[in-house]
Amino acid sequence: MRRTRIALLAAASALLAVCATAGTAGAAEEGDVVVFRTELTPLTVYHDPHGCHKLPLDAHVLTNRTDRPVTVHGDPFCLTPGLVVRPGYGAHVAPGSGSFSA
């Protein structure tokens, strides 16, 4: 009887931990990545970006408004190592620099 209670308590604790982790991960994936190109073009906004995104050819500044790091890559397929931009920060990107991953 005692073993059954311990097993049920352990299973309930594990389930609670998994549910709490899943809720936190979803909340951390919110925000925008904003790319400034020129004074004559509107900002490019990527809402809740996931995976690899090709940057516009005339990209100039990338701003990370998400809750997680974003990496700027030199190629359009996010295959090369890149510059990590922390949440709340931005970085200059060279025109035609490639892509970013979130």
Side-chain angles (χ1 to χ4, degrees):
M1 184 75 153
R2 181 174 164 95
R3 286 186 186 171
T4 304
R5 284 185 184 171
I6 292 172
L8 286 174
L9 183 59
S13 297
L15 182 60
L16 182 61
V18 169
C19 290
T21 303
T24 304
E29 296 178 352
E30 295 179 357
D32 298 329
V33 171
V34 181
V35 177
F36 169 77
R37 299 182 303 173
T38 68
E39 290 81 358
L40 302 176
T41 57
L43 296 171
T44 303
V45 180
Y46 299 87
H47 299 287
D48 301 328
H50 298 284
C52 184
H53 296 272
K54 186 169 179 356
L55 288 168
L57 288 175
D58 56 350
H60 186 69
V61 176
L62 178 139
T63 305
N64 182 3
R65 308 286 295 184
T66 68
D67 294 337
R68 64 194 180 287
V70 169
T71 304
V72 179
H73 301 276
D75 69 289
F77 305 109
C78 301
L79 298 176
T80 58
L83 170 70
V84 176
V85 181
R86 295 183 296 162
Y89 286 79
H92 285 274
V93 294
S97 65
S99 57
F100 75 91
S101 58

